[in-house]
Amino acid sequence: MSDNMERDELVAVARRALENSYSPYSSFRVGAALRFADGSIVTGTNIENASYGLALCAETVAVAKAMDDGHRGGLEEVAVIGETAAPVTPCGRCRQVLNELAELGDTDPVVWCAGEEEVVETKLSELLPRAFGPGSLTA
Ligand code: THU
């Protein structure tokens, strides 16, 4: 499978995930998809709250679902998409949440940041350099 097909598939899965977005306050729908080394894919979408500051981002929901499924590493690829023309990049908190799962399996996942008109390839280490993670507690 070519890299572009893998990218397009994962972005398409993330795009479908945003259909379940619960975002009545921002009306900003976001979808995320995580691909693991075993081939499994876990999705997430943003879930807001009447107490606005309690919103859960799509990437954080995906990581929580994956960890609840038992994943403790093997995170190879992430796709995040919004409905703006420009790509959506993970917020700072989500970068940290993604890093926890990545570091557990010692991977540096590719992060596809997508919008309606553009997909940008990044790495988690590029989005969150010199990250604080599980290993930092014992280093
Ligand atoms: N949001 C995400 O789900 N992921 C991001 O990386 C950026 C922001 C959500 C949170 C909130 O529900 C809405 O987008 C507007 O900020």
Side-chain angles (χ1 to χ4, degrees):
M1 195 188 298
S2 79
D3 283 357
N4 273 0
M5 270 179 69
E6 288 197 4
R7 178 199 68 189
D8 292 347
E9 280 179 10
L10 200 65
V11 169
V13 171
R15 178 72 181 74
R16 282 199 294 278
L18 71 69
E19 299 294 337
N20 284 331
S21 171
Y22 175 69
S23 45
Y25 307 108
S26 73
S27 298
F28 190 81
R29 303 195 300 176
V30 183
L34 314 178
R35 192 202 301 270
F36 291 88
D38 65 4
S40 58
I41 292 177
V42 179
T43 62
T45 190
N46 54 327
I47 300 171
E48 298 186 344
N49 192 278
S51 179
Y52 295 174
L54 301 184
L56 300 174
C57 288
E59 304 92 312
T60 290
V61 169
V63 169
K65 284 173 66 181
M67 294 193 75
D68 183 56
D69 283 349
H71 288 285
R72 293 293 185 272
L75 181 59
E76 292 191 335
E77 255 181 300
V78 177
V80 55
I81 186 166
E83 296 175 292
T84 46
V88 167
T89 54
C91 79
R93 183 176 190 267
C94 287
R95 295 175 195 203
Q96 182 69 24
V97 170
L98 287 164
N99 181 73
E100 186 80 12
L101 188 49
E103 198 181 307
L104 288 177
D106 203 22
T107 60
D108 181 13
V110 171
V111 182
W112 301 109
C113 302
E116 299 289 12
E117 290 173 12
E118 193 186 358
V119 181
V120 169
E121 177 178 0
T122 59
K123 299 281 281 187
L124 186 57
S125 61
E126 186 187 337
L127 293 170
L128 190 68
R130 300 183 68 85
F132 181 87
S136 310
L137 296 170
T138 51

